[in-house]
Amino acid sequence: MHKKGPQLNDHTPNTTNRDNLGITGAQTTLQAELCPVVNTVTYRAFYWIFLTWNYYDFYQYSGETDFSRNAGTRFNEDYVKKNDYYFVLGNLINNNPDTKNLVGIEKTTNDLSTNNSGPFKYNRDYFVSYLGGMQYYNAGCRTLGFTTDTDSEGNPISGLNRLTKGLGTEMGKAFEKVIKNTEYYRKYRFKNTKVPRNVLEEFGSVVSLDLNGFDECKSILRRELFEERFNELLDNKHLIESKDYLIFLYRDYQIKNPGAKEIRKVLYDYFSPRGEYKYDFPESLKYVVKAWEVVVGRQYFTTAIEMVCKAMIDSLDVPKTMEQWVGDLIDDSSWEKVDVDQTIESLLPSCNFNFDERENLIEQGYRSVRDTSRNCDTGIRIILSVYNRFKDRPDIENKHLSIGGEVSVSNLIELVDNWKDRPVIDLLQYIMREWIVYQNEVTALEKVMRSRSLDGYIFERVDEKYARTGKYPATDFQGIRLINLLQIMKDLDVITE
């Protein structure tokens, strides 16, 4: 196994309240390779287009000349968020479809219910985050080349991102052509006055999430996402392959609107030689088919570790040494299928599950489930099922199995291979010491150094005893980017009924 060190994963999340074991970021790294730009919080294609137009319109017509940090504040509070607020309000007034994907809908709905006839004053507090509903799309606008945070020589610029003269201007003009005759565009977008209901009704009838009527904008974004290109910020080769994978699933297997559970089943069990179905797929999709299988396998792996962590926390009712802690955890656990004294090798044959069996085992001990007595029994079996899935798989890229530093699938395989003759209790102790306690210590320290936050510590160690802090790991599956990519493909007419 590899030498220990502070390098936990290839990706470190910015938040301090998730991934307190530092183990879930690895699948995010792999998903970012397979599906760049589109992530689990970018739900609709509309927002990249709308945000780019906001940049275009602000630079072209606002009269601003100083685009320092203060201009960025004005752009955010007095322009983008105002346009977004009235966009949401206009869509609600028109009862447009897909309003569930609108950000800030709760406060905007309340504004409409208390003043249905209007006129409507801009509610700055409809959504508190930067750029309102478009905060998660700003980075994508840079990656795609609609905006930039560097000058012509590649040097960083301060303040507001700049619109690019090529793509950004092209997109801005294309959007402007569609909305330029609306009364909101002509009279209200730069004013701080109340907007009449009929103006917003017209605006919402023209501008909606489905991008109806914005064919040129859709064509531009479709080109930038799905025509092969490689530049400093975007290599979209695997994004195109993931798009083709979804078209294949949509066409051949009727995967048209999958939820998270269904997409896990498809990616993990449809096409794997060790999966439940062993379906065929085009050779051209081999790279992404195998890589997305690893993404889901990685999620099962880390969720199982988090389940063991939950049981550890519940067992730590008073400060304990590691030896006491291990003993009490074994005594507190319900061992239904596992004998902690049996060899790891003897347990392996029973750790092969179909999709429903695997999901049902996990549902017993993750999320907010309070009874964690079966978590160690279940968690160890799920972890070993990942070993069984990926051991001796020449069809899988080793670089994908190695993502995650010390807590990688490749290290799991190496550990089990070396420890097959050892008892299961040794594996449990290793998971506790190395993949949970040590990982939490290093990850929490990183968060202290980055944000001075102490909320990453799940355990406290004083001398030789450990105590719990009351914090639990996330114990839930991470999102799958393909779900959002499929919706964006529908928005851009890449897939049509």
Side-chain angles (χ1 to χ4, degrees), residues 4-8 20-22 434 436-449 457:
K4 286 184 186 178
Q7 180 73 28
L8 297 178
N20 287 339
L21 300 181
E434 307 300 332
I436 295 176
V437 174
Y438 174 75
Q439 283 293 128
N440 178 239
E441 288 176 348
V442 178
T443 305
L445 180 59
E446 284 188 346
K447 292 180 179 182
V448 170
M449 296 174 66
Y457 284 97

Side-chain angles (χ1 to χ4, degrees), residues 35-208:
C35 189
V37 183
V38 180
N39 56 49
T40 58
V41 290
T42 52
Y43 300 99
R44 305 302 294 263
F46 169 84
Y47 284 110
W48 286 303
I49 294 170
F50 190 44
L51 181 56
T52 301
W53 169 73
N54 273 274
Y55 275 108
Y56 169 80
D57 199 55
F58 189 77
Y59 276 110
Q60 191 78 10
Y61 303 114
S62 69
E64 292 279 355
T65 56
D66 175 16
F67 298 107
S68 62
R69 186 173 301 277
N70 289 335
T73 301
R74 292 192 292 275
F75 175 70
N76 174 45
E77 292 292 336
D78 299 329
Y79 190 68
V80 176
K81 292 181 70 173
K82 180 164 70 74
N83 285 337
D84 187 42
Y85 173 74
Y86 285 127
F87 159 71
V88 174
L89 200 54
N91 273 253
L92 292 176
I93 289 171
N94 281 276
N95 294 313
N96 287 345
D98 300 331
T99 54
K100 65 180 183 296
N101 289 146
L102 296 172
V103 177
I105 191 171
E106 291 184 6
K107 291 186 178 180
T108 310
T109 299
N110 183 65
D111 290 347
L112 184 60
S113 65
T114 57
N115 178 26
N116 187 263
S117 60
F120 300 94
K121 181 181 178 181
Y122 165 41
N123 181 355
R124 290 176 176 271
D125 298 324
Y126 84 106
F127 196 70
V128 296
S129 296
Y130 181 67
L131 298 180
M134 291 169 280
Q135 58 173 325
Y136 299 114
Y137 295 80
N138 203 30
C141 285
R142 290 196 303 271
T143 301
L144 290 165
F146 297 123
T147 62
T148 181
D149 56 5
T150 62
D151 62 21
S152 58
E153 297 180 354
N155 300 312
I157 56 175
S158 61
L160 187 62
N161 287 344
R162 305 300 193 263
L163 183 81
T164 55
K165 293 181 179 179
L167 286 175
T169 300
E170 180 186 15
M171 181 66 84
K173 286 183 176 179
F175 192 90
E176 181 185 64
K177 288 178 187 177
V178 182
I179 67 166
K180 65 181 181 180
N181 291 324
T182 65
E183 193 168 358
Y184 178 80
Y185 175 88
R186 290 187 289 108
K187 296 183 178 179
Y188 291 96
R189 71 192 199 280
F190 285 116
K191 291 183 179 179
N192 291 318
T193 57
K194 292 181 179 180
V195 181
R197 180 187 171 96
N198 68 301
V199 171
L200 295 178
E201 188 172 1
E202 179 196 31
F203 190 52
S205 69
V206 173
V207 184
S208 57

